[in-house]
Structure formats: C-alpha cells, structure tokens
Amino acid sequence: MPAVHVINGPNLNLLGSREPDIYGRATLEDIETRLTELCAERGVELVFRQSNHEGDLVDWIQEAGRLGAPIILNAGALTHTSIAIHDAIKGSGAVVVEVHLSNVHARESFRHHSFIAPVARGVIAGFGPTSYFLALEALFDREIRKT
Ligand code: CA2
C-alpha cells in the first residue's frame, strides 16, 4: 500500500512560533507526530515534507503521482498563485486533499481563490491541525484500502 505523502509549502516551518492567533500554537513537528501515530494505527507509512521553494513541491507531487500515493497538500500562499502546482497535480494524476489551518474564505480576498481546489479531490480549511487529521480520515475512508 503506498504511503500517504504530506506536503507543506512556504513559511509553514514557522508554525507555532509566530501569529498564534491565526495559526495556533502547534508546530509542524506536532502535526507530523500525530499524523504518524494515526497512520501507524492503520499500518500505513507517512512521508512528511516542507519546503519554501515551489519547485520542490512540484517535484514531490510528481513523485507521489508516480508512486500512486495520495497527498495531503498545504501549499501555503502558493495555493493562491501557483499554476505550476496546479499543472503538477493534473499532470501526475495524484489524488490530493487541499488543506489549510485557517479558514481562508474568512480572510483577505486574495486568499479566496485557489489554483489547487479545481484539481483536488477535496478541500478542508479552518480547523487548525485538525484540518490535516480530517484529510487523513477522508483518504482512509475514500482512497486507501482499509486494514
Ligand atoms: O491557513 C493555511 O494553512 C494557509 O495555507 C497558510 C499560509 C497562507 O498563505 C494561506 O493563505 C493559508 C501561510 C503559512 C505561513 O504560516 C505562518 C505561520 C506562522 C507564522 C507566520 C506564517
């Protein structure tokens, strides 16, 4: 069974250190730890990555697509700008759940548009780290053979 790939974009390495009123106090490492536990309970491997560079995200999406691995993707601000990520998802055929910690629709209008949503299987936003856990649950329920 392919691993679940979690891909995080620019500035998400800062989680837990700044803007706790918007993004909460959990660090990316806290999220990784909990996702690893949830995957272990189901006997599924987790690949968890973060980069501040768009090309890394494109490479990792293509890689997951080749492996037939589902992706939980928080592309950060690239969500609202990146045609390259849109094309990578479409071209790789990867199953993607787009996630956001914050409710992007309740924030500035430039966060309301996503280049990822049209090529994602689904979108979860606004629940802090729980957005990632809900995305994993959705993948287990809909995309990954149950153990
Ligand atoms: O809500 C989300 O998960 C976002 O993807 C986070 C992005 C933002 O550009 C999106 O519109 C919504 C920003 C990630 C930056 O995270 C920081 C965390 C702490 C301090 C500074 C930035």
Side-chain angles (χ1 to χ4, degrees), residues 11-12 14 18-19 23 74 76-77 80 100-102 104 111:
N11 297 309
L12 285 158
L14 298 176
R18 317 258 299 268
E19 303 194 49
Y23 298 116
N74 185 350
H80 318 298
H100 298 286
L101 296 152
S102 62
V104 284
R111 296 186 204 277

Side-chain angles (χ1 to χ4, degrees), residues 6-13 28 48-52 57 60:
V6 183
I7 299 175
N8 296 282
N11 297 309
L12 285 158
N13 55 310
L28 209 53
F48 192 95
R49 291 163 162 164
Q50 187 275 331
S51 175
N52 292 329
L57 273 66
W60 294 339

Side-chain angles (χ1 to χ4, degrees), residues 106-124:
R107 300 182 64 193
E108 304 95 323
S109 59
F110 60 80
R111 296 186 204 277
H112 296 179
H113 179 262
S114 167
F115 280 98
I116 295 168
V119 287
R121 186 61 52 94
V123 181
I124 301 172

Side-chain angles (χ1 to χ4, degrees), residues 4 7 20-21 33 39 49 61 65-66 71 73 83 86 89 96-98 115-117 138-139:
V4 173
I7 299 175
D21 43 324
T33 299
C39 280
R49 291 163 162 164
I61 289 164
R66 278 194 302 273
I71 301 172
L73 175 62
I83 297 169
H86 172 106
I89 295 168
V96 170
V97 182
E98 175 184 343
F115 280 98
I116 295 168
L139 288 174

